[in-house]
Amino acid sequence: MESPLNALPVLPPAAEDAVLSQAEAAYRQLRDKLIMLEIRPGEPINDGQLAAELGYGRTPVREAIKRLEIDHLVVSYPRRGTFATSVDFTELADVSEIRELLEPLAARRAAKRASAQMRQELLATATTIATMDPSPAESRDLMRYDLTVHRLIYKAAANPHLEDTLIRYDNLATRIWCLVLDKVPSVSGHITEHVDLLKAVAEGDADKAGELALHHVTSFEQTIRKVL
């Protein structure tokens, strides 16, 4: 029987990447490797090696790396090379401050503006998460669901500038979470919080969606601070 964790697409699927430019596809794949710490903080970024691994030319990979610098996921030093950025826990308060303002805004907008098709997708995602019974060993997979849910809501908000901004800060927050994942007793509660949020957005309850989004962000920060 298929595991519930395999029932929901997590992160941009390969089929979607196939219709993107090579630079965009390389950017998305490298971005998510950095977010999930598959490329560890401080690890050197070798464009030739990454191009070979991803199956792209060096030029699109170099273009992707330039964008990742803007996202604060990689950093370049003259005569030293490019590296995955370190995870700075002192940034938690700054990242959370921005997310506490913008996540409720996105949730409220999504509740008001989501298309009928997007509302169906949000409800389907909520149903899948509600039926999951993951083991502690699947914590890293659960964090991919967290990314997926947030990105769905940002997309449903129908404001590309807000979407881009929130993706960037959610990415930074996820890196912090992944670095302390082994210290957190369980992330399943953090993920199942999404069920009510997704339903509120899908059902058009903007006030409830905003409140739940704010609670989700603040509880995230509180959980991280307990293990630091």
Side-chain angles (χ1 to χ4, degrees), residues 119-139:
R119 292 181 195 277
Q120 291 178 356
E121 187 173 356
L122 292 166
L123 283 174
T125 303
T127 299
T128 300
I129 293 175
T131 58
M132 291 192 308
D133 185 20
S135 71
E138 295 172 311
S139 292

Side-chain angles (χ1 to χ4, degrees), residues 66-88:
K66 288 179 181 178
R67 289 179 63 186
L68 293 166
E69 282 193 75
I70 298 172
D71 292 343
H72 304 291
L73 294 174
V74 304
V75 59
S76 295
Y77 300 102
R79 297 181 295 279
R80 286 183 54 196
T82 302
F83 302 83
T85 55
S86 60
V87 177
D88 187 352

